[in-house]
Amino acid sequence: MKLNFKGLRALVTGAGKGIGRDTVKALHASGAKVVAVTRTSADLVSLAKECPGIEPVCVDLGDWEATEKALGSIGPVDLLVNNAAVALVQPFIESTKEVFDRSFKVNVRSVLQVSQIVAKGMISRGVPGSIVNVSSMCTIRVLSTHISTGSTKGAITMLTKAMAMELGPHKIRVNSVNPTVVLTDMGKKVSANPDFSKKLKERHPLRKFAEVEDVVNSILFLLSDSSASTSGSGILVDAGYLAS
Ligand code: NDP
């Protein structure tokens, strides 16, 4: 998708791999200045080579104090993509405190924290903005063993709506993108069992999972003025799965 983000500054979390990495590349190619936030420094080094001029920030977003230190003074941001997340797989009955807490810290609390930092800046500058939370189709359909991830993404649905309500009068839009399985590192891990993967794919009317590019295109659309009247909403990128 060819959109023009020249003159705008974007912040993308989980920028080192998968959907976040390709989102950084697409925003960079569309003229935006990009702050790329992730946890593994080597990913930022290679990304900066591919996208000269990006601003790399290495931080564990599950750590509130470290995130405040790294991003508290990040400066003006017009577009925010809350993409970083973990997918820690456990059945409900075996779910542990550690996995549940870690999932909520990274997948939900960091969205609150980073969005607060960015939205405060937008409000004090009096500029419009767009925030996209990368969620999942598992807000609607249970994916077995994804108890913690599914719960965090369910929370993101209401966080997205609540942010849209409160930030709307400041001309800040907030939406989500909800993909089915995407074969990134995360997607390969969660669909590693070939039998499970085959059966799951067959339940998708399009008989495929989603491509990274399809998710990135929806993110860019929601960031752009092409979706100027959309807020508190979400785009399913699910190959028809939820219709099945
Ligand atoms: P990947 O695991 O491929 O990439 C996730 C990125 O987020 C990595 O760069 C990772 O860094 C970073 N990250 C994870 N935890 C933290 C943290 N605590 N602090 C900073 N950075 C962190 O995932 P995807 O690209 O597949 O997923 C992106 C988004 O899409 C997520 O929100 C996910 O829930 C959602 N999604 C993905 C689906 C899929 O099948 N892939 C399906 C539905 C939704 P590092 O590797 O260094 O930890």
Side-chain angles (χ1 to χ4, degrees), residues 26-115:
L27 284 166
H28 180 259
S30 306
K33 289 194 162 84
V34 188
V35 181
V37 183
T38 197
R39 193 169 52 160
T40 301
S41 169
D43 289 338
L44 288 171
V45 172
S46 61
L47 185 58
K49 280 188 190 140
E50 286 184 71
C51 303
I54 61 159
E55 300 168 66
V57 177
C58 194
V59 67
D60 176 357
L61 292 163
D63 180 334
W64 182 279
E65 286 71 29
T67 301
E68 181 57 37
K69 202 168 160 204
L71 297 177
S73 310
I74 198 65
V77 173
D78 307 286
L79 311 169
L80 169 63
V81 183
N82 287 307
N83 163 79
V86 287
L88 305 169
V89 176
Q90 283 180 333
F92 164 72
I93 213 75
E94 290 165 21
S95 293
T96 61
K97 171 179 173 291
E98 288 71 24
V99 161
F100 204 73
D101 286 351
R102 178 72 182 159
S103 301
F104 269 82
K105 280 181 186 169
V106 178
N107 299 10
V108 185
R109 199 182 69 177
S110 82
V111 175
L112 174 91
Q113 185 183 18
V114 177
S115 301

Side-chain angles (χ1 to χ4, degrees), residues 84-174:
V86 287
L88 305 169
V89 176
Q90 283 180 333
F92 164 72
I93 213 75
E94 290 165 21
S95 293
T96 61
K97 171 179 173 291
E98 288 71 24
V99 161
F100 204 73
D101 286 351
R102 178 72 182 159
S103 301
F104 269 82
K105 280 181 186 169
V106 178
N107 299 10
V108 185
R109 199 182 69 177
S110 82
V111 175
L112 174 91
Q113 185 183 18
V114 177
S115 301
Q116 274 180 349
I117 293 169
V118 166
K120 279 179 189 169
M122 290 169 176
I123 292 166
S124 70
R125 286 187 296 135
V127 298
S130 180
I131 299 175
V132 176
N133 298 326
V134 182
S135 183
S136 170
M137 59 91 172
C138 72
T139 53
I140 301 171
R141 188 71 59 82
V142 172
L143 204 51
S144 60
T145 73
H146 286 260
I147 306 311
S148 295
T149 311
S151 304
T152 63
K153 298 301 189 182
I156 288 294
T157 301
M158 284 317 285
L159 188 56
T160 301
K161 289 178 196 284
M163 286 164 61
M165 279 280 289
E166 198 171 316
L167 299 176
H170 299 284
K171 303 204 175 352
I172 301 168
R173 297 184 298 110
V174 189

